[in-house]
Amino acid sequence: MAVTILIGAQWGDEGKGKIIDVLTEQADMVVRYQGGNNAGHTVEVGEDQYILHLIPSGILHPGKLSVIGNGVVVDPLALLQEIDGLQARGVKIRGNLYVSDAAHVVFPYHRLLDELREQQKGKGKIGTTKRGIGPAYADKVARTGLRMGDLLVPDRFSEKLRRKVRETNDIFRALGSKPLSFAKLNREYLAAAKRLKPLITDTVTLLNAGVRDRQEILFEGAQGTLLDIDFGTYPFVTSSSATAGGACTGAGIPPNRIDRVVGVMKAYTTRVGEGPFPTELVNKQGEALRRAGREFGATTGRPRRCGWFDAVVSRYSVMINGINDLAVTKLDVLDHLPKLRVCVGYKVGRKVYETLPHDADLLQRCRPIYQEFDGWMTPTSHLTEFDQLPKRARVYLRRLAEFSGARLSIVSVGARRSQTIMV
Ligand code: GDP
Ligand code: IMO
Ligand code: MG
């Protein structure tokens, strides 16, 4: 496996957590490189379900190292809550989890700003997870953020935080919102720092030592390609580089050390939050997909918007990420459908688009051009070999891979580890 990047090829929630969990079997280290606790990665182990937000899904495998890289934004209180939750269920954290000293810190003022901006946008809102992700990355880029390493130097931390709270309180007052108390924040964060201290380290050196020693390293993307700050449906995106390139800058691993990119995609499409979604089914069929796929957000619980598979999107994702291997998830959700559709291009008036337009308004006007497939109408969730799948399911999967332009390597037919077919 060597150094593998796993990314979401659609709008998030593709089942990355499940596939990471399966691939972690062969990994030594699992690394998050972007995003924050806006992510919700579900892993089912036997009868137990875990939802991970900040901690790599690899943590559920004893003896594997989990790393939160410099490109992640970390809410220390949320991280501690996640650690406590996992420890209470018997997951060992100490010695298994490290956090980059260069990762930026999320503060309550980021969450508040996130919320206020969404309120101000009204109908044009993004539908964020309200975890403060956008404002935290904005501070990073504006060079006014605090990093996890700052938590280790209390005096300097307090000084920086005091300045930052003063600045943000001016904004809150202007927006008619209540100012925050520096003293309370300072106390809470320094208490968190004490607990997190043993975990905060130079993960860049740690990871590069792993690369040098030919360890198996697995990068766990959060969100998806279409939510990437540059390549997604801007402005309806998240604020980080969710695509494969983000793994290099978000962890400090050079591009020429990457061996493989795995793209995870559902056998249909979902999206949470606002923004264009050409194949969305705003009808009974969409509702039926949501019900069959249990499509409710793992972080916010919001119902996910559902639609047909979009090959324009998957082709674009293969191109941007350099995907070698495709993992197609949730095939079983389509088991009962007599007919399936796949979008192979878009139309606006008479103009046909075979690639994804970057303009969100234009994408909003795109109408899908569909190819129809016969459904297999037989259960698949108990199958373990590709050849056991019904012929029509195999045809559907093969066509998805051909449309996308990458090799079909994994098919997932259920949430459990055992419900995974290696092709
Ligand atoms: P992630 O954010 O990409 O990790 O995906 P989420 O965990 O947010 O959403 C994927 C959901 O689908 C979770 O509830 C998984 O347990 C579930 N899931 C993953 N793979 C499969 C599959 O092949 N079939 C079914 N039915 N559910 C799956
Ligand atoms: P995982 O890793 C699906 C969406 C939000 C919103 C937009 C911006 O589980 O796939 P943000 O809070 O990031 O500023 O919100 O991005 N979003 C996700 N959608 N899965 C996710 O993560 C998401 N993380 C953010 O719904 O539309
Ligand atoms: Mg998710």
Side-chain angles (χ1 to χ4, degrees):
M1 189 162 76
V3 180
T4 300
I5 301 173
L6 179 141
I7 55 96
Q10 294 157 327
W11 274 280
D13 304 325
E14 295 91 347
K16 298 177 291 293
K18 182 216 150 145
I19 304 296
I20 285 279
D21 178 64
V22 169
L23 296 181
T24 300
E25 203 75 61
Q26 304 149 41
D28 298 303
M29 297 183 182
V30 184
V31 189
R32 275 283 304 273
Y33 61 89
Q34 46 73 231
N37 60 332
N38 49 348
H41 298 173
T42 316
V43 181
E44 293 199 4
V45 185
E47 296 302 311
D48 294 327
Q49 190 192 65
Y50 297 85
I51 299 180
L52 296 139
H53 300 286
L54 266 168
I55 301 177
S57 307
I59 198 75
L60 301 175
H61 289 255
K64 314 280 180 172
L65 212 59
S66 287
V67 177
I68 297 178
N70 55 276
V72 176
V73 287
V74 181
D75 180 333
L77 307 186
L79 176 58
L80 282 172
Q81 203 179 7
E82 199 169 327
I83 288 175
D84 290 342
L86 287 171
Q87 276 177 337
R89 297 174 74 177
V91 178
K92 186 173 170 285
I93 300 289
R94 197 66 185 269
N96 283 343
L97 174 67
Y98 290 101
V99 184
S100 168
D101 53 5
H104 275 250
V105 181
V106 180
F107 289 96
Y109 50 78
H110 292 130
R111 286 201 301 273
L112 212 65
L113 275 173
D114 195 352
E115 201 159 337
L116 287 171
R117 282 189 188 140
E118 283 283 272
Q119 272 171 20
Q120 279 196 324
K121 284 201 177 103
K123 256 188 93 184
K125 70 174 188 201
I126 296 166
T128 73
T129 60
K130 298 190 181 151
R131 298 296 189 271
I133 305 301
Y137 276 112
D139 271 353
K140 171 179 174 172
V141 177
R143 297 160 297 182
T144 60
L146 278 79
R147 310 208 288 186
M148 292 302 281
D150 289 320
L151 287 171
L152 304 178
V153 192
D155 288 349
R156 192 181 67 192
F157 173 82
S158 301
E159 187 44 43
K160 286 187 180 181
L161 183 63
R162 187 188 296 280
R163 239 182 290 147
K164 197 66 209 168
V165 169
R166 202 178 301 139
E167 177 195 305
T168 14
N169 276 345
D170 285 344
I171 301 174
F172 288 144
R173 282 192 202 91
L175 293 174
S177 184
K178 266 206 335 234
L180 295 176
S181 152
F182 158 75
K184 181 168 177 280
L185 261 187
N186 194 44
R187 216 172 31 245
E188 278 174 1
Y189 273 65
L190 287 180
K194 260 201 194 129
R195 289 192 58 202
L196 290 173
K197 194 174 173 185
L199 274 53
I200 302 172
T201 192
D202 170 6
T203 55
V204 175
T205 304
L206 178 80
L207 288 171
N208 277 285
V211 172
R212 185 198 58 214
D213 298 343
R214 304 216 55 79
Q215 296 224 328
E216 305 283 327
I217 303 179
L218 182 56
F219 286 96
E220 173 174 346
Q223 290 77 54
T225 300
L226 276 287
L227 289 173
D228 181 278
I229 184 73
D230 286 277
F231 305 110
T233 47
Y234 193 91
F236 303 98
V237 292
T238 192
S239 296
S240 66
S241 301
T243 39
C248 296
T249 53
I253 300 287
N256 57 356
R257 289 286 185 269
I258 309 298
D259 297 297
R260 182 164 83 118
V261 181
V262 177
V264 186
M265 52 198 211
K266 277 179 193 166
Y268 50 99
T269 312
T270 63
R271 170 165 208 170
V272 208
E274 309 305 316
F277 177 1
T279 62
E280 181 174 14
L281 293 163
V282 194
N283 56 21
K284 283 221 168 77
Q285 268 182 316
E287 271 166 43
L289 270 177
R290 185 174 312 122
R291 211 171 325 113
R294 297 193 189 155
E295 297 294 356
F296 295 89
T299 297
T300 56
R302 289 177 289 176
R304 294 174 181 152
R305 300 156 64 192
C306 298
W308 296 120
F309 186 88
D310 188 334
V312 180
V313 163
S314 65
R315 217 158 38 222
Y316 176 75
S317 285
V318 167
M319 175 177 81
I320 298 284
N321 295 293
I323 294 170
N324 311 99
D325 295 284
L326 291 172
V328 178
T329 61
K330 304 193 96 158
L331 183 77
D332 53 298
V333 174
L334 305 179
D335 284 350
H336 63 287
L337 296 180
K339 292 277 179 206
L340 304 170
R341 290 177 142 196
V342 171
C343 168
V344 294
Y346 302 139
K347 231 178 179 176
V348 180
R350 284 210 186 129
K351 192 164 164 54
V352 171
Y353 292 86
E354 284 176 348
T355 56
L356 195 90
H358 280 145
D359 186 308
D361 288 340
L362 176 58
L363 188 58
Q364 188 69 50
R365 293 201 304 277
C366 282
R367 295 290 157 254
I369 302 168
Y370 282 123
Q371 266 190 31
E372 202 164 75
F373 291 80
D374 290 326
W376 42 96
M377 308 282 282
T378 6
T380 57
S381 56
H382 60 292
L383 302 177
T384 53
E385 303 284 335
F386 188 73
D387 293 340
Q388 295 169 346
L389 286 170
K391 181 156 185 271
R392 286 171 175 178
R394 277 181 282 143
V395 168
Y396 181 70
L397 287 164
R398 290 272 180 231
R399 291 297 284 149
L400 295 195
E402 277 165 24
F403 286 137
S404 309
R407 182 169 59 224
L408 177 70
S409 296
I410 301 173
V411 179
S412 174
V413 289
R416 297 193 175 165
R417 282 177 184 169
S418 57
Q419 292 173 306
T420 312
I421 298 172
M422 297 296 175
V423 183

